[in-house]
Amino acid sequence: MNSVIISKAGGPEVLEYKELKLEDPKADEVTIKNHAIGLNYIDTYHRSGLYPLTLPSPIGLEGAGEITKVGSEVKDFKVGDKVAYCAAPLGAYSTHRNYPTKNLVKVPDNVDLETAATLMTKGITTFYLLHKTYPVISGEDILFHAAAGGVGQIFGQWAKSLGCNVIGTVGSDEKIENAKQNGYDHVINYNKDNFAEKVKEITEGKGLSVVYDGVGKNTFDGSIECLKLRGMLVSFGNASGPLDPVNVAKSIQPKGLYLTRPSIMQYTTTREELDEAANKVFEMASSGKVKVKISKKYSLKDIAQAHKDLESRVLTGPAVILP
C-alpha cells in the first residue's frame, strides 16, 4: 500500500508519501481499496497540530472504496461491497487500508464512490446541523458562513429544500454567484460589508434564531451580534483560526444565548445514528435535492498541493483525492 503520514506537525510540507506493508484485517475490520478520498479542513487541523496527534501518524478521515478482505468476525459486510467512512481511525490518505466495520456504511448503487467520498463528512455535517443541533423550520431565516465552500454548497441546497430563507457569507465577490447557485437567497461579502448589519437589514431588525459558523475566530463577534433573544450560535469549525476564550458575561448573557460546539462523532455514536445520517445524505444526493460538483481532483502524491489550495481558499467546491 501507499500512504501519507506525518512525523511532525506543521505546514503541507510535513505530509510524507510512503510505501508501507498492509497487515491482514483484525477480526472486526475489513480491508478497503480506496477509490476516492475526501479533502476536509479537519485534515489540516490534524496536520498543523491544532488537533494534536500521537506522531508519527497516518492522516485523513474520509474515503470510499471497495472491500477486498473481511475479518473473521465480520457479518454485515462482504468482499465486493461499496463502502464509505468519515471517522477515526485516521488513515484515509492511502491506496488501501484496514477499517473497523462499526464506523462503516454501505454506498447505494446509484451513488458513485467519488461523490460518496466528498459527501460523507460534508453531508453528515449538514444533516446534523439542520436536523439535530438546531432543527430548522420552513420559512426560518438562517445564516451560514463560508457559503461557497464544500460544506456551504451542500448546506445551502439542503436548507433551501427545507424551505428556509438562507443567508450566506463569502470572502470575495467572485464567490457570490457560486453561493446563489447553491440555494442562498442573500449572499454577503464579509470582507467588504459588515455582515451583522446586513443581516439586520435582511431580517428587518429581528435578527436570527441560529447562526452556523465554521469560520471561527474572525466571525464570532459578528455572529453573536446577528442573533435574536435566546438565539443559538452553532460553532463547528476554525477556518480562520481557533476561537478566543469566550467571555460569557459579555457575549452570551445579554441576550440569553445558546452556544454549542458540535462534531460528527457526537451525532454518530451508535450504528442507528450513523445509518440514519448516511442514508439521509445518500437520499438527498440520489434525489437531486443536493447536487455535488467536484471542483478539483488531486493525485495522492500531490496531497501537499491539495492542502495548500484548501487553506488558501482557491477551491470553488468539494475536492477529491484519487489514490
Side-chain angles (χ1 to χ4, degrees), residues 36-245:
I37 301 157
L39 179 67
N40 297 290
Y41 244 98
I42 194 170
D43 302 340
T44 70
Y45 304 157
H46 289 142
R47 187 211 70 223
S48 69
L50 179 62
Y51 293 177
L53 304 175
T54 300
L55 301 175
S57 174
I59 190 168
L61 278 169
E62 179 181 45
E66 182 179 335
I67 294 176
T68 60
K69 286 184 182 180
V70 297
S72 60
E73 296 178 5
V74 173
K75 306 299 182 187
D76 297 331
F77 296 86
K78 65 183 186 302
V79 171
D81 281 349
K82 289 169 55 182
V83 292
Y85 56 89
C86 64
L90 300 180
Y93 287 10
S94 59
T95 56
H96 303 72
R97 68 171 307 186
N98 295 325
Y99 194 80
T101 57
K102 67 183 181 70
N103 294 330
L104 197 62
V105 299
K106 293 180 182 178
V107 178
D109 290 337
N110 59 0
V111 177
D112 68 84
L113 289 173
E114 288 187 10
T115 299
T118 64
L119 262 180
M120 284 294 290
T121 298
K122 300 172 183 67
I124 292 179
T125 296
T126 299
F127 168 76
Y128 79 69
L129 290 176
L130 287 170
H131 292 278
K132 300 293 184 179
T133 306
Y134 181 93
V136 299
I137 57 175
S138 180
E140 194 164 21
D141 296 325
I142 64 176
L143 174 65
F144 187 93
H145 289 301
V151 179
Q153 292 183 23
I154 294 168
F155 183 97
Q157 296 175 67
W158 198 317
K160 195 62 187 173
S161 79
L162 298 173
C164 295
N165 179 37
V166 197
I167 307 167
T169 67
V170 294
S172 68
D173 286 344
E174 291 74 25
K175 295 180 178 180
I176 290 176
E177 188 57 34
N178 179 305
K180 287 184 175 180
Q181 290 174 358
N182 284 286
Y184 290 87
D185 298 283
H186 306 275
V187 186
I188 305 161
N189 179 348
Y190 57 64
N191 285 321
K192 284 178 61 176
D193 296 312
N194 182 315
F195 70 83
E197 291 181 0
K198 288 290 184 182
V199 166
K200 288 177 184 176
E201 291 176 16
I202 293 167
T203 62
E204 300 178 341
K206 297 174 185 176
L208 302 168
S209 296
V210 63
V211 174
Y212 298 96
D213 190 346
V215 173
K217 187 180 181 71
N218 293 350
T219 49
F220 180 83
D221 289 338
S223 295
I224 291 290
E225 192 177 342
C226 288
L227 290 167
K228 64 171 67 168
L229 193 71
R230 300 189 302 276
M232 177 182 287
L233 175 56
V234 183
S235 173
F236 68 98
N238 314 279
S240 66
L243 291 176
D244 294 325

Side-chain angles (χ1 to χ4, degrees), residues 6-68:
I6 55 172
S7 299
K8 61 181 179 180
E13 72 281 354
V14 304
L15 297 163
E16 306 173 65
Y17 182 81
K18 289 192 171 186
E19 183 174 338
L20 303 171
K21 181 181 178 182
L22 182 64
E23 305 293 338
D24 287 334
K26 295 177 183 176
D28 63 341
E29 293 180 336
V30 296
T31 300
I32 301 169
K33 179 183 180 183
N34 279 330
H35 286 245
I37 301 157
L39 179 67
N40 297 290
Y41 244 98
I42 194 170
D43 302 340
T44 70
Y45 304 157
H46 289 142
R47 187 211 70 223
S48 69
L50 179 62
Y51 293 177
L53 304 175
T54 300
L55 301 175
S57 174
I59 190 168
L61 278 169
E62 179 181 45
E66 182 179 335
I67 294 176
T68 60

Side-chain angles (χ1 to χ4, degrees), residues 308-320:
K308 289 175 185 176
D309 291 349
L310 181 62
E311 291 181 297
S312 62
R313 303 188 189 184
V314 301
L315 295 174
T316 58
V320 68

